[in-house]
Amino acid sequence: MIARFYRPITVSKIDLRQGEGVEDHRPRKSYVFMLLLLLITVVVTEGSVRIFAYFGGELGERLAKYDISSETMPIELHSELGFRQKPNRTFHYPNGTTAHSNARGYRGTLVNDVKLPGTYRIVILGGSTTHGYGVNDGETIDAHLRTLLSDRYQNIRFEVINLAYDGYDAYQLYLRMQSDGVRLNPDMVIINSGINDARNAHISDLRYPDPRTNRWLEVLRSLNEEEKRGESFYKGLKRHLYFVRLPAFILLLIEERGTVKNQRALTTPNPQAIEHFDSSIRDIARIATEIHVPLILSTPASALEVLHKPTDTSTLSYWVVNAETTQQYRNALAGRLVNIVGELKDRGFPAAYVAHKLPPGMFLDDCHLTSEGNLAEATNLAQAAAPFIESMFHGKSLSKL
């Protein structure tokens, strides 16, 4: 009875009576097999996703670049509600062009805070059109304007400082003017704006100021917190493995589809967005009058009526309902600029308004321009700026061509 009870021990994995043992390797082999299978699954999945990223056209390219981290994000928080370019960054546009930010966090030639004698300094504010979306550094509006004015007035040193950035609405322009524009002591301020503010019409209970108009605010705050506590394990995997970022990318695509759906469902855009735009531009105009410099307000050229049907929709956030409604909003914003300039002139302040009408061939899309388009807008702005420049240098040789 006792022998039967102990029998399983005597024939166990190790036979102690004979001094010899035979280990059962089956569990260990199972673990190795499972790990190997997991590794093969990861490699095959990652390889498949990377193949799609390489050959999947625009969608694949977007997936490859979908890595939101402090290292890859080209912008940073600026004041409580604002954002701006990070210094010394390079950004590649989908069409192969490249944008660089200088050590002060703006595109173009770096200038000293203190102007040299004989210098005329212009600060230009705006969104992605003014910043130079889709063109190289020497092809932006500010670069062309600098060249045009320097050729026209050879005895004057011109500095045109591009404080515009992709996605800026009028309130972001006001924040940037407050922090950088005034400090740079400009002789003229140019605002080329009236595109991005249309997206604020999607906010039903808009107020002034409204944190929701900064679409990057929560992302940038999250990245700031991440920098303080260190990168999470998931974030690290997401940066290096495409298949880990795939779920978040799919959610982004679903969100974009929702944007189109909401645009189509939005029959009455919030007109308060126009008032929001008006208030921000007036705040900048107030600063210009306080520092006693001319103000040029400008509406970027639009190709909505020539490149799109009235009923066309888009995933772009700055479209409202459809192409026709979006253009109506742009026209309404332009009307506010005209009114502000008229009021400034009535009060005796130097101001001008510029509207741009360009042929379809000068557009990259409905609002972004080729180098030729930027040159055309810069030419119009140079014409508007000329009387103010000549007034400042009245009586001096300007070497006009």
Side-chain angles (χ1 to χ4, degrees):
M1 191 74 156
I2 296 175
R4 268 203 318 268
F5 181 78
Y6 284 104
R7 183 175 178 81
I9 299 177
T10 60
V11 293
S12 66
K13 299 175 186 176
I14 302 178
D15 192 340
L16 297 176
R17 290 178 305 169
Q18 305 211 0
E20 295 177 355
V22 179
E23 291 189 46
D24 186 351
H25 291 282
R26 285 176 297 179
R28 183 180 301 173
K29 288 180 179 179
S30 297
Y31 295 146
V32 172
F33 176 75
M34 290 174 63
L35 287 174
L36 184 60
L37 182 62
L38 178 62
L39 180 61
I40 292 173
T41 302
V42 169
V43 171
V44 171
T45 305
E46 177 68 8
S48 300
V49 177
R50 284 184 178 265
I51 289 173
F52 168 74
Y54 188 80
F55 293 103
E58 182 182 350
L59 201 60
E61 185 178 0
R62 288 182 61 191
L63 174 61
K65 294 179 179 180
Y66 188 68
D67 177 21
I68 300 177
S69 65
S70 297
E71 288 74 19
T72 60
M73 182 63 74
I75 58 177
E76 60 188 0
L77 281 175
H78 170 54
S79 74
E80 184 180 355
L81 300 178
F83 67 95
R84 62 182 296 170
Q85 289 171 277
K86 288 181 178 178
N88 301 316
R89 289 297 179 111
T90 299
F91 183 80
H92 301 282
Y93 289 113
N95 64 353
T97 56
T98 304
H100 301 88
S101 63
N102 58 36
R104 290 290 184 89
Y106 58 85
R107 193 174 186 180
T109 306
L110 185 66
V111 302
N112 296 319
D113 286 351
V114 180
K115 285 183 295 187
L116 296 174
T119 298
Y120 193 91
R121 179 174 291 178
I122 300 172
V123 162
I124 184 167
L125 299 157
S128 52
T129 299
T130 314
H131 178 244
Y133 180 94
V135 297
N136 292 310
D137 292 338
E139 301 172 319
T140 59
I141 292 173
D142 66 289
H144 286 304
L145 183 58
R146 190 180 305 113
T147 300
L148 288 169
L149 292 176
S150 296
D151 289 344
R152 182 168 182 170
Y153 305 109
Q154 296 180 356
N155 289 344
I156 304 174
R157 172 189 172 90
F158 284 96
E159 296 175 342
V160 185
I161 304 169
N162 188 348
L163 297 185
Y165 193 65
D166 304 357
Y168 270 5
D169 64 2
Y171 185 68
Q172 292 298 323
L173 306 186
Y174 168 58
L175 294 178
R176 199 70 191 270
M177 182 64 193
Q178 270 189 318
S179 61
D180 293 338
V182 175
R183 174 180 56 80
L184 288 166
N185 189 25
D187 298 298
M188 175 184 292
V189 174
I190 298 175
I191 301 174
N192 189 40
S193 182
I195 302 294
N196 292 321
D197 284 79
R199 71 166 178 259
N200 297 333
H202 294 282
I203 304 175
S204 59
D205 54 341
L206 190 67
R207 57 186 183 272
Y208 185 79
D210 196 316
R212 294 169 295 177
T213 61
N214 180 354
R215 59 188 178 131
W216 292 109
L217 187 59
E218 294 305 319
V219 173
L220 293 175
R221 285 177 175 173
S222 176
L223 290 177
N224 274 9
E225 289 299 316
E226 183 180 290
E227 279 189 313
K228 293 177 183 177
R229 64 175 183 268
E231 185 179 65
S232 66
F233 178 69
Y234 168 70
K235 285 279 190 177
L237 284 178
K238 190 176 175 183
R239 181 187 305 176
H240 298 290
L241 298 176
Y242 282 22
F243 82 92
V244 176
R245 70 179 69 163
L246 187 59
F249 181 70
I250 292 173
L251 288 176
L252 174 66
L253 297 180
I254 294 173
E255 182 181 334
E256 289 180 350
R257 286 181 176 270
T259 299
V260 174
K261 183 178 179 181
N262 291 337
Q263 285 179 346
R264 290 172 177 169
L266 186 68
T267 56
T268 308
N270 186 0
Q272 194 61 33
I274 300 172
E275 304 301 328
H276 193 281
F277 173 82
D278 187 278
S279 297
S280 298
I281 299 298
R282 288 182 182 278
D283 282 338
I284 301 174
R286 173 181 50 80
I287 294 175
T289 60
E290 290 174 351
I291 61 177
H292 306 290
V293 299
L295 177 65
I296 295 178
L297 301 185
S298 166
T299 300
S302 174
L304 283 173
E305 295 177 332
V306 294
L307 297 183
H308 294 274
K309 295 182 295 184
T311 56
D312 283 352
T313 59
S314 172
T315 59
L316 295 169
S317 62
Y318 54 81
W319 277 48
V320 187
V321 183
N322 52 36
E324 181 180 31
T325 307
T326 304
Q327 186 58 55
Q328 290 172 354
Y329 243 75
R330 293 181 184 180
N331 294 341
L333 298 178
R336 293 304 179 99
L337 296 182
V338 172
N339 292 341
I340 292 171
V341 167
E343 293 174 15
L344 289 172
K345 286 183 174 180
D346 289 342
R347 292 160 52 196
F349 291 106
Y353 172 75
V354 179
H356 306 278
K357 297 292 183 181
L358 306 181
M362 290 187 176
F363 288 88
L364 296 173
D365 51 34
D366 68 278
C367 62
H368 300 114
L369 305 174
T370 64
S371 178
E372 291 75 18
N374 288 328
L375 174 59
E377 289 209 354
T379 301
N380 295 336
L381 293 172
Q383 287 295 108
F388 303 121
I389 296 170
E390 294 171 13
S391 175
M392 180 174 175
F393 290 91
H394 181 69
K396 298 181 180 179
S397 175
L398 299 178
S399 296
K400 286 177 60 176
L401 298 181

